[in-house]
Amino acid sequence: GQNIDQPTEMTATEGAIVQINCTYQTSGFNGLFWYQQHAGEAPTFLSYNVLDGLEEKGRFSSFLSRSKGYSYLLLKELQMKDSASYLCAVRDRAAGNKLTFGGGTRVLVKP
Amino acid sequence: KAGVTQTPRYLIKTRGQQVTLSCSPISGHRSVSWYQQTPGQGLQFLFEYFSETQRNKGNFPGRFSGRQFSNSRSEMNVSTLELGDSALYLCASSSTGTSAGGELFFGEGSRLTVL
């Protein structure tokens, strides 16, 4: 099976940087996704990593290390609207390529 | 381009009843996945359909079932409802499905309360 761990909650100040870590264990890693979900809304796609390294998209960056089973999502220049849950999801070839989600990290941005 | 549409958005049922939820994917998308979201368990995969065929199934009891129609619309059914089935049920569509690296587009969900 799969084990995906991420912190439950993080608090940061507007304008600051926050790093959300995600560790996973899979038999056949085949990609990692990050989604953002505001309270009461649908999750929306943020990033996709399948090779090691950093993917940058504006204020958001995602990093992957396959050998360590580790990823992080970096949120820079935090804004109040970034207060949301951030979901790490892993695709496992050994599990029919279905996406398995971590429990999510709730980020609270304070003024 | 319209997004993923789920109906109904909210519903209340009692134990023992059954419920059918509907999902219309983004036009042109052939893959539909269903997830159950609860505060304690997070997002849990139910099943994925692609071109009317169930391609993958999660670890849920047989009371949970689904199907996909030729127009890619999908339904999921839960029979003999239990209190623990209270959750937000999310549908996600993709052009190629998760096996081909397809990004998932989620609907707003159907919030089911079982009394």
Side-chain angles (χ1 to χ4, degrees):
Chain A
Q2 296 169 19
N3 214 8
I4 303 172
D5 290 313
Q6 48 181 134
T8 308
E9 198 168 288
M10 301 181 76
T11 302
T13 307
E14 196 175 12
I17 298 173
V18 71
Q19 177 176 313
I20 306 169
N21 296 325
C22 172
T23 57
Y24 62 88
Q25 294 172 332
T26 61
S27 306
F29 176 81
N30 195 20
L32 186 145
F33 295 78
W34 283 97
Y35 281 82
Q36 179 192 58
Q37 186 178 25
H38 285 99
E41 296 182 13
T44 54
F45 171 80
L46 286 178
S47 68
Y48 171 66
N49 295 71
V50 67
L51 298 175
D52 291 351
L54 188 69
E55 293 281 341
E56 296 188 82
K57 258 192 198 181
R59 296 188 298 113
F60 293 3
S61 304
S62 58
F63 171 83
L64 175 68
S65 169
R66 289 171 295 170
S67 61
K68 294 180 180 176
Y70 168 70
S71 172
Y72 68 72
L73 180 69
L74 195 68
L75 285 60
K76 292 180 266 189
E77 299 167 23
L78 279 172
Q79 301 175 11
M80 299 300 290
K81 67 178 182 179
D82 297 330
S83 291
S85 285
Y86 292 85
L87 310 172
C88 171
V90 174
R91 189 171 62 214
D92 188 346
R93 204 178 286 111
N97 277 313
K98 68 182 183 187
L99 264 189
T100 300
F101 284 80
T105 300
R106 193 166 65 177
V107 171
L108 177 62
V109 181
K110 293 185 173 179
Chain B
K1 202 174 188 181
V4 178
T5 305
Q6 291 188 245
T7 56
R9 290 291 314 279
Y10 302 91
L11 67 166
I12 299 173
K13 293 284 187 178
T14 56
R15 277 181 299 176
Q17 287 187 310
Q18 68 93 28
V19 67
T20 298
L21 309 177
S22 178
C23 172
S24 293
I26 291 172
S27 177
H29 283 191
R30 294 164 64 189
S31 167
V32 172
S33 301
W34 287 90
Y35 289 83
Q36 181 195 66
Q37 188 173 35
T38 58
Q41 299 293 321
L43 264 168
Q44 302 223 285
F45 174 78
L46 281 157
F47 20 69
E48 179 189 4
Y49 288 89
F50 186 87
S51 295
E52 301 180 69
T53 302
Q54 187 179 84
R55 194 152 71 173
N56 223 327
K57 191 175 188 309
N59 298 323
F60 278 80
R63 300 185 297 107
F64 292 80
S65 62
R67 58 179 175 167
Q68 187 180 33
F69 303 96
S70 58
N71 62 358
S72 293
R73 190 178 71 86
S74 177
E75 287 182 348
M76 68 162 280
N77 183 277
V78 188
S79 62
T80 320
L81 283 166
E82 300 177 359
L83 294 178
D85 297 333
S86 294
L88 180 67
Y89 290 88
L90 289 164
C91 166
S93 80
S94 170
S95 57
T96 56
T98 56
S99 63
E103 169 192 341
L104 295 181
F105 295 85
F106 284 88
E108 299 284 345
S110 293
R111 184 166 294 283
L112 170 66
T113 301
V114 182
L115 302 176

